[in-house]
Amino acid sequence: MIKEDILKTGHLPAHVAIIMDGNGRWAKQQGLERVYGHKKGVDTVKKIVEASGEIGLKYLTLYTFSIENWNRPKAEIEALMGLMVDAIIRETDDLMRQNVRVVAIGNLNDLPEVVRVKLNGLMAQTAGNSGVTLVLALSYGARWEICEAARRIAEDYKNGILQDLESVDDDKFASYLTTNGIPDPDLLIRTSGECRLSNFLLWQCAYTEFYFIEKFWPDFEKDDLYLAIRNFQKRERRFGMTGEQIQK
């Protein structure tokens, strides 16, 4: 019913970004090790990617592994990397069947070689798909991304590739970000009840609508995505203008 309601409205966000939070706490509540929460979280990813395709979302970005996550216990990091490889191998056929295109953003050079190889293979295999674009933020941090963009601009100016620093406006700067070619998120969802961005898409979320939900990520269902989108559809996005200007 919720799915039909949001489709009937006809005003879908083009890009939904999700901070998938609460895997470890979910596992703790079940009396399990944290890795079991991450395994359950992978199942949720599968459901939400499928739901995104069913309603016709164009872009879905998932905060999969942050730069700060490298500070977690070594055993947990190794388990997460292993889950990533397993998920790529296991889900490739379904992603192809669902016409999903996979891209990745972040400092991918920091990923273990086996993860990079599998990820590059998945991106190459799905490159021609025309359904939802699934953007995986891996070893990603917004401050790193912005600093990296500034360094690249400085290098291009030094090397004469960029002729005039006065030409560096919002659009030019955005072209140096890892999200170049990807529209800014219309809606950002964060699970687990936390109400912060955690160094995620700081530049891109300047005018994004935020939606916070108490559920941990492993408990997040398709209907939760639909409810978030229905909430988005009821909002008035003014982008610095007045409501009267928007209605004209």
Side-chain angles (χ1 to χ4, degrees):
M1 183 65 178
I2 306 170
K3 177 181 175 181
E4 285 70 26
D5 285 347
I6 63 172
L7 290 173
K8 190 183 301 180
T9 301
H11 174 49
L12 287 172
H15 184 178
V16 173
I18 304 179
I19 299 176
M20 306 179 294
D21 197 15
N23 289 341
R25 280 168 285 171
W26 178 90
K28 187 176 180 180
Q29 282 188 351
Q30 315 301 314
L32 302 170
E33 296 294 327
R34 290 176 58 87
V35 66
Y36 290 100
H38 297 309
K39 288 179 178 178
K40 188 69 165 60
V42 172
D43 294 336
T44 302
V45 168
K46 183 176 180 178
K47 288 187 292 187
I48 298 308
V49 171
E50 184 177 69
S52 300
E54 288 173 352
I55 61 175
L57 288 185
K58 295 185 183 301
Y59 292 88
L60 173 69
T61 296
L62 301 179
Y63 202 6
T64 309
F65 191 86
S66 74
I67 285 179
E68 289 79 12
N69 287 156
W70 291 115
N71 296 318
R72 290 189 174 187
K74 182 179 178 181
E76 183 173 346
I77 292 172
E78 290 176 349
L80 284 166
M81 294 298 121
L83 282 173
M84 210 173 299
V85 171
D86 290 344
I88 291 171
I89 295 171
R90 188 175 62 250
E91 303 301 334
T92 297
D93 288 345
D94 276 349
L95 292 171
M96 291 299 295
R97 178 179 55 80
Q98 295 173 46
N99 200 25
V100 175
R101 179 172 72 107
V102 178
V103 299
I105 60 173
N107 192 4
L108 305 182
N109 290 329
D110 281 352
L111 296 173
E113 183 179 4
V114 63
V115 176
R116 289 201 311 273
V117 169
K118 294 295 183 183
L119 180 63
N120 287 333
L122 177 62
M123 290 191 289
Q125 190 169 344
T126 62
N129 291 346
S130 57
V132 61
T133 294
L134 173 61
V135 184
L136 302 177
L138 291 164
S139 191
Y140 175 87
R143 288 181 173 180
W144 164 84
E145 179 184 37
I146 291 169
C147 289
E148 186 69 14
R151 282 193 291 266
R152 290 176 55 211
I153 288 171
E155 288 173 2
D156 281 356
Y157 181 68
K158 178 180 177 181
N159 295 328
I161 298 171
L162 185 64
Q163 299 292 328
D164 181 10
L165 287 180
E166 294 298 321
S167 68
V168 181
D169 56 11
D170 285 4
D171 290 337
K172 174 64 75 173
F173 191 88
S175 73
Y176 282 85
L177 298 173
T178 63
T179 52
N180 181 35
I182 300 171
D184 292 343
D186 300 297
L187 171 65
L188 181 138
I189 301 167
R190 180 166 186 157
T191 58
S192 88
E194 304 291 354
C195 300
R196 56 179 178 268
L197 279 174
S198 296
N199 199 19
F200 183 50
L201 300 177
L202 298 181
W203 174 279
Q204 296 86 344
C205 284
Y207 284 102
T208 298
E209 297 293 323
F210 293 171
Y211 182 90
F212 302 106
I213 182 171
E214 293 290 331
K215 281 187 176 182
F216 294 136
W217 178 247
D219 290 327
F220 194 79
E221 299 288 345
K222 288 184 178 182
D223 277 353
D224 294 312
L225 173 66
Y226 301 149
L227 283 170
I229 292 174
R230 187 164 72 178
N231 180 280
F232 168 85
Q233 290 174 328
K234 295 176 181 178
R235 301 187 189 185
E236 181 181 68
R237 305 184 73 196
R238 296 190 293 274
F239 299 98
M241 295 182 283
T242 66
E244 290 75 14
Q245 286 176 299
I246 294 295
Q247 292 168 12
K248 285 183 180 179

